[in-house]
Amino acid sequence: LGLSIGVPVLFDLDAPMTSLVVVFSTIAARLIMLLGLIFYILNAVDLSRYGAYHLPRWSPRSGAPLRKIGRAAGSSLAVESASFASLSVFAGWIGPTALAAYTLLNNLVSLIFSLALAVAVVTSARVAAANAVANRVAARARFCAGLGLALFLMAGLGGAAFIYRDAFIRFSSADPAAIALAVPLVGLVSVLMLGDGGQAVAANSLRGLGDAWPATLIHLGCYLILMVGGGWLMSIPFERGVRGLLEATAIASFTVLIALSWRFFRLTRADTP
């Protein structure tokens, strides 16, 4: 954030150069975070509290289970990111004001979603610990606790965003037309976040069970068909504009949440072999 704001102001950059600065500062920040986490994990002095007593010697086979989960999770992230990027393209087809308004609302989604993602990662680890000792009851209980916490946080933050919607949008933009279009849609974003935050917990919990690729396939089908296809249909042929894009996102997110939760409970039944 400091580089994205400070460099353009300090050097009086135009819009294209400012965009490049924002892109490269984001990449740099993510890279620093990645290297910092890797350094911390490899040099942590006490991992016993997390159930890890030593780091195993690396071999091509040692990381196979993690690579399986990583490939599936990365594919899900790619599908989800491409779907949201497609909606931004559709918003641009509608017009510059629609694109500006959708970008403001999408930034709000990303901000709130980051907290749900944190809950999802912790829930995944807790579910994996229960699954390691074949305790399906504990796995279900931890999934329900994580999902409940995520939904509670999404409801609270979404409610706060709705209450202070005018202040938030005006803080993020000075374009009167974009503000007028975005402010009435914050309520829809608040509802959408329940599904989006919940599906993140459900997907990561399935990966905690070792069930990696089915979640990716559910993401692929729902996001490409309901979110991308539905977003195009509702925003352009049905002329619902930015509202249509958000409605399609909400439908896809809740569908993914229901499908992933159903699969989790199916896999953790007491009679599952």
Side-chain angles (χ1 to χ4, degrees):
L1 180 62
L3 290 175
S4 298
I5 296 176
V7 172
V9 171
L10 181 63
F11 294 98
D12 193 24
L13 301 180
D14 56 14
M17 289 301 298
T18 298
S19 299
L20 287 176
V21 170
V22 171
V23 169
F24 284 110
S25 62
T26 302
I27 293 173
R30 297 295 179 94
L31 183 60
I32 292 172
M33 290 170 60
L34 173 63
L35 295 176
L37 287 171
I38 292 175
F39 179 81
Y40 171 76
I41 292 171
L42 294 178
N43 292 275
V45 294
D46 181 19
L47 292 175
S48 61
R49 71 185 71 179
Y50 307 111
Y53 300 97
H54 64 278
L55 293 175
R57 184 180 298 275
W58 184 89
S59 70
R61 292 184 177 182
S62 64
L66 288 178
R67 287 196 297 272
K68 176 184 175 183
I69 294 175
R71 287 192 295 266
S75 299
S76 285
L77 181 60
V79 170
E80 190 172 354
S81 299
S83 298
F84 275 99
S86 298
L87 296 193
S88 295
V89 173
F90 300 157
W93 289 353
I94 298 169
T97 299
L99 177 58
Y102 179 75
T103 301
L104 291 173
L105 296 168
N106 195 36
N107 288 342
L108 178 60
V109 170
S110 300
L111 180 65
I112 299 176
F113 179 77
S114 61
L115 190 56
L117 186 59
V119 175
V121 172
V122 174
T123 303
S124 174
R126 299 294 293 160
V127 168
N131 184 59
V133 294
N135 191 336
R136 297 191 184 97
V137 174
R140 279 194 173 197
R142 292 169 182 180
F143 168 69
C144 291
L147 180 59
L149 177 59
L151 293 177
F152 175 78
L153 292 173
M154 295 301 95
L157 292 173
F162 177 73
I163 293 172
Y164 299 104
R165 58 192 181 279
D166 191 74
F168 177 84
I169 296 298
R170 290 185 181 278
F171 175 79
S172 304
S173 176
D175 184 349
I179 292 172
L181 182 58
V183 168
L185 298 177
V186 174
L188 181 55
V189 169
S190 300
V191 175
L192 177 161
M193 289 312 306
L194 294 173
D196 199 25
Q199 67 84 20
V201 174
N204 279 274
S205 296
L206 277 174
R207 294 177 189 125
L209 290 178
D211 189 59
W213 283 104
T216 298
L217 295 177
I218 291 172
H219 275 147
L220 181 67
C222 291
Y223 279 124
L224 292 183
I225 296 173
L226 297 178
M227 187 171 169
V228 177
W232 174 82
L233 187 67
M234 296 175 72
S235 64
I236 298 177
F238 289 174
E239 298 183 349
R240 294 186 63 79
V242 177
R243 179 178 293 275
L245 297 175
L246 296 175
E247 289 170 344
T249 304
I251 292 171
S253 296
F254 279 104
T255 303
V256 171
L257 170 60
I258 293 170
L260 293 177
S261 298
W262 173 83
R263 181 165 181 81
F264 184 91
F265 281 105
R266 181 175 178 274
L267 292 176
T268 55
R269 290 183 307 183
D271 59 346
T272 301

